[in-house]
Every structure is written in structure tokens, then in C-alpha cells.
Amino acid sequence: MSYDFNKIEDKWQKYWAEQKTFQATNPPLEGELEGIALPKFYVLDMFPYPSGAGLHVGHPLGYIASDIYARYKRHKGFNVLHPMGYDSFGLPAEQYAIQTGQHPADTTKVNIEGGVDKEGKKIKGYRKQLDRMGFSFDWSRELRTSDPKCYKWTQWIFIQLFNSWYNKDSDKAEDIEALISIFSSDGNAGVNAVCDDDIPEFSATIWKQFSNKEQQEILLKYRLTYLAETEVNWCPDLGTVLANDEIVNGVSERGGHPVTRKKMTQWSMRITAYAQRLLDGLKTVDWPQPLKDTQANWIGRSEGATAEFKVLPLAPSEGGGTSRNSRITGDSSIIGILLERAKEMRKKPTKAEAKLWEGLRDKKTGLKFRRQHPIYKYIPDFVCLEKRLIIEIDGEIHQYQLDEDAERQLILEEKKGYHFLRFTNEQVLNDIDAVIDEISNKLKVLPSGEDLGGDFSNEEDIGDIDAVFVETQRNIENSGIPPSGARGISVFTTRPDTIFGVSFMVLAPEHELVSQITTPEQKTEVEAYVEATAKRSERERMADVKTISGAFTGAYAEHPFTKEPIPIWIGDYVLAGYGTGAVMSVPCGDQRDYDFAKYFKIPIPNIFEGIDISEEAFSDKDKTIITNSDFLNGLPYKKAVKRAIFELEKLGQGEGKINYRLRDAVFSRQRYWGEPFPVYYDADGMPQMLDKKFLPLELPEVDKYLPTETGDPPLGNAKAWYWLQYGDKGKVVTKEKFESSSPSGRLGGDLELNTMPGWAGSSQYFNRYMDPHNDDEIFSQEAINYWQDVDLYIGGSEHATGHLLYSRFWQKFMFDKGLVPKDEYAKKLINQGMITGTSAFVYRTFYFYGYAHDNNAKEGVLDFIRERPILISTNHHDLLENDEYVKDFNFINEWFVSELKREFEIDDVGGINFKKTTPLHVDVSLINSSDELDIEAFKNWRPEYKNAIFILDNGERYDSNTSLEGRPAGAFTVSREVEKMSKSKYNVVSPDEICDQYGADSLRLYEMFLGPLEQSKPWNTAGITGVHGFLKKLWKLYHSGSNGEFFVNDSPPSEGLGEDLRTLHKTIKKVEEDIENFSFNTSVSTFMICVNELTAQKCHSREILESLAILVSPYAPHIAEELWQKLGHNESISKVPFPKFEEKYLVESEKEYPISFNGKMRFTMKLSLDLSKEDIEAAVMAHEKTKQQLQGRTPKKVIVVPGKIVNIVG
RNA sequence: GCUCGAGUGGUGGAAUUGGUAGACACGUUGGACUUAAAAUCCAAUGGACAUUAGUCCGUACGGGUUCAAGUCCCGUCUCGAGUACCA
């Protein structure tokens, strides 16, 4: 009986489906026993996108590996969860919808389930393709992200994120209600949250006075998903924004379209809150190092310091100040103006202010203090309203405005009855206790007044605050004091140790201070530069790193230590989006600063001991010794950094800081085919979440999938896309219906037009698989507590900074909310390598012709030549490359010329130029295993080459004139090259073809046999005969009866020489080790060796062959099931215990010792393993070949490693 | 540029803590069977010289450690991946 793989595989695939063999059981209810004793094991493949192109042999590589592992774990007694589903929202379906008008849901369904789409395209379907390979997926748990039942929970998580904020004190996400109650009791001063950086400080009183809308606006700045105007990567050709990880080299990952920066109001995810935890978590998971590195790189943590550089006032001769746009606009409320001013100042507290605030906040003095709180016409540093005590810290800036300060103190003291205390920076920083004492003493002697907090409704004040505020602004401007730069330019640096090497500062052209500090003299130049950089696209800026450009603002900053003036420049090498958008430039220590300084002839002071910086900057931290740097002199890098930070903090002009490159993730896409947001906008335009009971909010039908005429996303085309709700009843309605509904008790408004990005649906799917049909919760606590996390996750490395980072973020969020027990969801992750294609090429030569011109009669020559392209085989092409062709194959030329002459009767034809060739991709299915082209099939495939002339390997000519009988026998060999597997390269091999021809078991074995799982390797169908031959041999081993009948005998294996048991146990040991180490390629070799040996031993022992069937079953499950059944079993092999390895069968008494001389192996010698070192040495020395090798010499030394080797030196 | 990974026959790749380099396959060549092909089986197959024994060279390149190095150390080159004015 021969090995009929098609029949066998079909049979068992049906059996598994019918018997639901691989359905995983969730923990049973109490009283039921089955399943509970089994330990769990969760094996997961990354969510595939079901594309219409179907699978090629590269796709299932990871699935085969995970399937082997899952099957192995079942044999090992685990309850294995091994699900599969589809990430079925996505761009390709939508692009196809735009092109053909078909609903993406329809095409997606066909892509998964197979069939014919409306265009008449035949699609096999992912599911059928997967089933054919014999995967042990639990299909009862299938998920499709585009299924409303599935995206219901994506929407639900979105709402959870919206209703959460990140508390830095507890270092986790917390409920937004908790934040609201803090605001109502204490305001936001004591809140340590990850939030937007432009939040004004407010007291509880002010919070309560905010309108609902104002409160909502403020809360948005804290929520973990928030709506904000952000700079996004806009891709006009795709009509959508892209995430950073969707952009490669400045163009879109899909399609390579240009991307520009644009400001848009978008939903964002506050992933930055988790930056540190995402970094820390990497240490706890067993993931590939390159993947971890990529993530760490993406998060981009850098340790350093902030430093504050004061902006110096402009010399009067320079005109002082620039005109600023007045911030006062007609429609802003007065509270708004003052709050804005206050928050702007609070944003940049000086070190001394921050320190004193620590001493005053939270009623530490027994009384409530506020900082930067508007009083009458001014904003003092601190105020205790109850005691009418104002505390001011006089920094350097104060020196420039003594008069104004004196004046306002007078006004406040005399007219408003306030008391003043003034301290200097030094007092606060050096002896905070004394300062606090003085304040406390002062408070004791002052009488109590009423709390005037938020008392802005006083009519009298409102009248003139506006005017006075403007006046104050003007005064500041006229005095030559830099306006909002008064508090200086903040920079982030990882090299605070080089602060004495600063010779200039550079701001990003987009920096908000640029327009404020630029002197009138420099204004034209600066504005021209800013405009020029704004025009350059991100791509241009990135591509053009070499060109140095910038402009001087005319302004100077003050060095915090030397107090020297430092020129302030702008330049586009400083990025607005990183750090503070400004740098302190240390040209001697940073190459970019160095180049900039050289270009603009800025001095380059050297602060490195014994280092020559005349040619380039010196950035080696380890060899650094600082000099010319005051208190840092002589210090090595690390000590200098510490000291510099210490000194900066002492001055109140800086502190140690950790910076991250990671940005918040934009979560809106202007697409149709994605999860709709469960969000409507109320009458105030504020976003509101739908109640859980209304989920899922289903994707509406639209006429077309393009943006609307007004530029809205495709959902803007939906006829009904308004939310209308009264009490417990809500539904999606048309605009008209909404507007005509009764406003009384009505909730609702227009629904969000954006949809969620591709990664939304894949960020918690692994947990949803644990309880996929639960309609009440995302998963039950019983399910998550049983399955816990993914034990083995296999997928491609291309998801490193997308899915794999975002899903970790969501998992940590879910962990914070107590919904999942693990804050990392995948213990072990493997990136399978890519299987590349082996493209085939023929070469087309080009030739010129030259004949007497002006000969119209010869019109047809050109066409004649065009219709006869010459294709040469690869060896001719190689000759060509070596310039050897023309002389060897000149006869082709001669023949062609004679053809021309015959046809057109012309004498002076030039000839063929063989030098110019272009490679042409040939479909790999037209190539046999010896790389020879099927020429007739090629001509059918490419009709434009039906008249082509083929030059065969042996130089013979094959063309359309050659009769079939008289055809040259030579072969036409193509050249092959490894490329990515792709339709356009005609090198795609489909798994279905392989299954037809060799069977799924062969495919599975071969994919594993190709090489290590993680490595990328080329596909070559020819090699599959090796593993296919192995399966036939395996089959034969069980069919050694007459006429190939099934035959095993029941005699105990030990009756023979025991060799078969040795072979078996050697195999068990190796295969077990290999699977545990994910070294699947070597275990296939091991099986081959095993079968070769057992065949040679003529093994028929049932005991041995039963074990072998189990060993093979994870790899080649169909044949294993069939053999298992033939061995007399009625149950599937899939859960039979794995054979137990027993050492005793491998114990040997003898060893074939390699005998080497000076490290070179010369011969081997069989010796007993019982021998002592001395015995071995004696035996070896006595050997004839040893004497021969030594030729009479006496060895200097003899190394004997018992059980290993003997080495004779001398 | 920086970070990481990898360089072994004609090809895919093996080689455990340093201990017989090239397992297992593909391909190639020769042979058996067959009218023939396919399938199957047998033999050879890193290179060079010798064609019997054998000798020399060989794991990207150059050094080093060691009785012994594909494996460890130093330096160089090439390829691949990620990232890129990240201060």
C-alpha cells in the first residue's frame, strides 16, 4: 500500500473538524472535573490580515512552528489554547472598495471564506488554505475584528481609557471620578499626573465655578485618551493620518506616498504615561533581543538635565524688544486672560519658586497658599488670601523691574491692604527652613480676612483689569525685559558636564520664543529663515542632513555659571518636537554643534583635557576629563554630570531629568473600514461616550468610501450618523431626525467621523480569545485567571514598534484597572524569519541595426527586429559580463544579419549589440528543478515573446521557425536570485500547490527543515523531495509486509541487539530538546536519521513504531494519525502521552576515540569507556598507526580526555 | 552615523560546556532496474596534489590565547535588520 497523502490528509482534517479535537476547554464549573487537572498552555500566532492575494509559502512558517509546539504540549499533558482569527479591518479592503465600489465587509468575507467576488476574482479563502495545512486551531474561538461583536469590546476599552487618568504618585491608571473628586476638594495643585503641559492651576473653588464645558475641557487634558489638536503625519494621497510606525523613510509604509506635517484635532492615546513601565517590562519577558532593542530605542529614554538659560535684556541701542501680538482678544473672558498669564508663568517656575512652593503647598504652614494667583491687577508669586500675605521671590529679573515692583507693592499695600514678604533666590535655595519660619511668624501676627479666592466677579475689578494688564505688558516690553522669555530658555541636555563648553544656543525655528526675542535688526533674516524651513517638507529635512543652515536672533542668553552672554541662534537641526525644542550648543563635544559653529564662525571653546578638537568634536564620554570648567575641572564624565546637576539645582536653574522620545499615539484615522468611536459630540461640542449598554456602535453604511466634499472622513457620507438618546433608549438617526427631536431630556449629537487605527483591534485580542463569546464582559475573570497570559507568541518582527508596543500599553492599562492578572501578556515571543522567493530571470539583449538610411523601402526592418527579441540563457549572460561573448557567439550575429539581408535585401546591416541586456522576471512555475525554462510554456505565458529567439545553453538557436521535430535538444537555463516573495516578481509559491503535489505533512516538514525558525531563508521547491522521500520511507517502515502491506510485530524490542531501542531513545532525547529550544530544523534531521537507522535495522517492533508515530505527530500529524489508527487505536493520536526518554538505552561501553596529533585528527580507535587515562594512553601508544605518525619521535605530552578525545603533542 | 544580528561546500544548513568541521537534505556525477520516462535502490561528492597508502589547505580576513578554536579574545572587511539631526 503506497503513501496516499491526499487521501490521508483529507480524512484526518475532516476527522479533527468533526470531533472538535482541538477545542480548548475553559476551567469547568464546580463539580465538573474534566480539564481542571490540566495545566494550561497558550500558544498564539500574530493576528493575520486576510488579504485577497491569499497565502504564500512564507506565511505559514510561524503557524507551523506554533502548531508543532501546541501539539507537542498536548502530548505533554497540557490543556492547550491555540486560537486563530483575523485582523479584518484594514487599508487594502478599503482601497479595493474605493476602486470597485464593493463593500469591504463583503470582500473581507470572501477573502476569509473563499468564493468569487463581484469583480469575478476567484479567491481560495484564508480559512481553506489554513485548514489544508492541518493546523490544530480551536476554530470555535475565531475572532474577526470587523465583527461588531468583536469591536464592541474595542469600543469598550476605549471608553475605559477615556475614563482614566494616570496618577504618577501611585504610578498607575486611575478612574477619572477620583480625579474629579480631588479637583472638587483640593483643586489640581496637588495632583501629580501625566497630562498636557498647559494646564492652569486652579483651586477647588475655581473648579466648582468652571462651567461644565470648561471642566470637560480640563479633564480632557488628563484622560488617557484625549482629543487634542496635534501635529500629525498627514498623507494626502491616502487621505488619512499615519502613526509614526506607519512611516518609513518619510513616506507611507503602504504605497510609499509622501507625508506632511499638519495640525488636526485628533484622538490620542497617552502612551507616554507608560514609557518607563514599557521599558522596564522588557526586562521581564523572554523576547528576542533585537525586538527589545527596537522597542527600547523607540521609547528612547535619555538621562540628563534641564538647564535654564536666562534671556538677557536687550541693550537700549538695539531698540529693545519686538512687537508682540497682543494676547487680548475681544471675546476672551478676563478670567481667561489672567489664568492664561498665570498658567504660562506656572509652567516655568524657577527652582526657587518650586522649592518654596513645596514648603507652602497643602497647607503646610497651616494656611492655604496659592501660587501665581491673580490679585487685582497683578500676579504675585505666592499669596495667602486669608491673611492677605503676598510672598515674592526676587530673582535676577527683578533687578530690571524694581520700579514696577515697588509701584505694585505700593498699590497692593495701600489700596488693597496686602502685606508683603520678599526673599531672594539664594535665601530660598540655601535656607528654606529660615524662609518658612519667617513666613509662619508673619502669618501669626496678621489678622484673618475672608478667602477672596476666585473673587473675580467684582464689577469694579473687571472694569480695569483688562486695561491694567495690557498696560503692564506694555511696560514690560518697553523696559527691554524679554517678555515670556523672562524666565529663560529651558534646554534638555544629556551632557550637563559640558556646560562650560557652551558657546551658543539654538532654538528650533518653530520655537515660540523666536518671534519674541528676535531683535529688529535680525527680524528680516530670522523671519525669512523660519518661512523657508516651514516650506521644506519633513522628508526634505530628513534627506538633507548635510546642509547647515540657521540664523542669528540678535538676542543673548546668560550662562548660568559664568554669566557670560551667549548668542541665541535658530536652526533646523534642532527639532521642535524633542525635549524643549532648544539646545545648549557645545561645539567641542557634539558634532552637529561643531559643524554649526564652524559654518557660522562661532567660537569653539575646548573643555576637554588633552583632546585636540581642531578637526572634529569629541564625544567619547568614557575618556572625558573636563577642564576650563570652574568647579568641574579634572572630573571624569560621571562625576562631572552629578556635580553639574547639583550646581544647577543650587542655582535654581536646572535639575536632573529623564526624557523620552516616545510620543503620544494618534488614534484617529480618516478611514471607513475601522472601528467606529463610541463617541458623540454634545451641544457644547464636547465628546461624550456612549453608555456600555448601547455598544457596539455599528459602522454605518455609506455610498462611497472617499472623503466627503467638505473634506470630512468617509463616515461623513453616512446618511444617519447622529446619536439620539432619551434615558435608556438611544439610537443612531439622521441629522434631520435629530434636529426635529425634542430637546427636553435629550442626549446626543453628531457622532465621531474618524475610525480607529489598525492596531486598536489587535491590542487585546489575545485576552478576548480566552472567552470569545462572552456578551456581558470582555472576558470573565474565571477565564483570564485560568489562562493568565500567552506562553508562546509567534509572529513577524515588523510589528516591533506597532502592535507589540501598543498592545503592551493596553495590557498595562488593563492591569492597572485590575482586569488582567499580568502586566505583560506574552512570556515568550519568537520572530519567525521571512521566507524569501527565488526569482527566475531570462535576459533580453538589445541590438542596434545600421543600414543605408533614407531607404523608405526598408520600413519594415524595425518591426521585424522588434518582433524578434533575443533571449539568452544565463551562461551566455555570464559570458557577456566577462566580455567574452561576442567573439564566441558571433555566429548568432552573423545569422541575424543574414536573416535581415534575406528579408530586406540590404547589405550594410550593422549588427547585434549583445552587451546591453535587461533581466526579465519569469514565473517560477515555468522552471524545472534544474533551473531550466519550459520555453513553450513561457511563450504561452508571455504572448509578446511568441516570436522570440532563444539562445540555449549550448549556443543553439531556438525560435518560432524551428519545427517541433527539429527542435534543438539543449536546455535553456535561467538565472536565479533571492528576492522578497511577491506577485510582481512572479516568484510566489502557494502552499496549495505544494499540498497538491507533496501533501501538507511534506510542506510542514520542509518549512521546518529549511533552517532555524528566526532566520530568513530562500524558498526552493526542488528541495522538498528530500522530506517527501522521508515520509515515504517512514510509511514503508510500517508497511514492510508483502506487497507493502502494513506490518508490525509484537515481539519485545530487546530481542534483537537492542539497537532499535537505542535509536528510538536517542531520537526521543534529541527531539524533545529541539522542540523545547524551538530548533525545529534539527529535529527533522533527527527523524530522518532515526528512520534510516530503523530501516537498516529492519525494525518491525510495535513498541518502537508506536513511539515513533507519537514523536513525529506534532510535525506530520496526518501520517501519524493514519499510522496510529493502523496500529490499532481508535482515538486520535493528538493527546497520547509523549514517549518517555530512558537514559539506560543510551549507555555505551565503547567509544570510537578520535586520535589527534598536534590537534589534527588522524585516525579513530575503538576503546572501552571503562579504561583509565593511563590505560587509554597505553593503548593508543601501542597502536601501529601511532608509531607511524610519530615516526620514531617521542611525544612531549599526551592529552587524554576520557570519553572525548586523545591528543598527542610532539 | 549609531544599535543589533550574521558571514561554514554548488545550495539550505548541522556541529551540546572549546574536543572527529561539513550531520541531514537538495543538486551534481556514475551505476542498477526499465522499451522509455517517472519512481526506487546503490556509490561518489569541500578544494588541491597523489589517484594505493597518503599529504597539504580549508568555517569572511589579519592576529592572539590553548594540547586543541567554526566556537574564546583583539583588530579589519562584507552583508542584513532597526533607527536616524533625539541634544
Side-chain angles (χ1 to χ4, degrees), chain A residues 20 106 315 378 390 434 464 515 649 751 753 792 835 854 956 971 1041 1043 1060 1066 1091 1170 1206:
Chain A
K20 300 190 168 58
D106 297 337
Y378 306 103
I390 288 171
D464 59 359
S515 62
E649 287 180 353
L751 285 157
L753 297 181
L792 175 64
I835 290 190
D854 294 337
E956 282 185 291
N1043 296 325
D1060 47 2
K1066 196 173 71 179
V1091 168
D1170 301 334
V1206 178

Side-chain angles (χ1 to χ4, degrees), chain A residues 23 80 126 165 183 239 349 397 414 447 587 617 834 1054 1116:
Chain A
Q23 205 159 308
V80 174
Y126 250 62
W165 63 292
F183 286 170
I397 294 303
E414 298 206 337
M834 200 174 38
S1054 50

Side-chain angles (χ1 to χ4, degrees), chain A residues 755-772:
Chain A
T755 53
M756 298 188 196
W759 54 269
S762 57
S763 290
Q764 278 290 298
Y765 80 108
F766 38 84
N767 289 332
R768 180 67 182 164
Y769 273 136
M770 296 171 183
D771 194 8

Side-chain angles (χ1 to χ4, degrees), chain A residues 326-358:
Chain A
S326 169
R327 286 174 176 275
I328 291 99
T329 52
D331 57 357
S332 287
S333 70
I334 280 137
I335 290 178
I337 297 162
L338 280 176
L339 277 178
E340 185 148 326
R341 177 70 178 157
K343 91 191 175 197
E344 195 179 313
M345 296 175 82
R346 263 189 225 120
K347 227 161 96 177
K348 294 172 184 166
T350 65
K351 193 73 199 174
E353 284 171 3
K355 190 159 185 183
L356 183 53
W357 178 236
E358 280 307 308

Side-chain angles (χ1 to χ4, degrees), chain A residues 95-111:
Chain A
Q95 294 293 81
Y96 197 60
I98 291 168
Q99 283 163 26
T100 68
Q102 294 181 71
H103 198 290
D106 297 337
T107 52
T108 302
K109 189 166 193 279
V110 168
N111 287 350

Side-chain angles (χ1 to χ4, degrees), chain A residues 499-500 561 629-635 640 643-645 647-648:
Chain A
I499 194 158
F500 285 92
F561 297 118
S629 297
D630 196 357
F631 49 81
L632 298 178
N633 283 345
L635 293 177
R643 181 69 194 272
I645 293 174
E647 294 291 338
L648 278 169

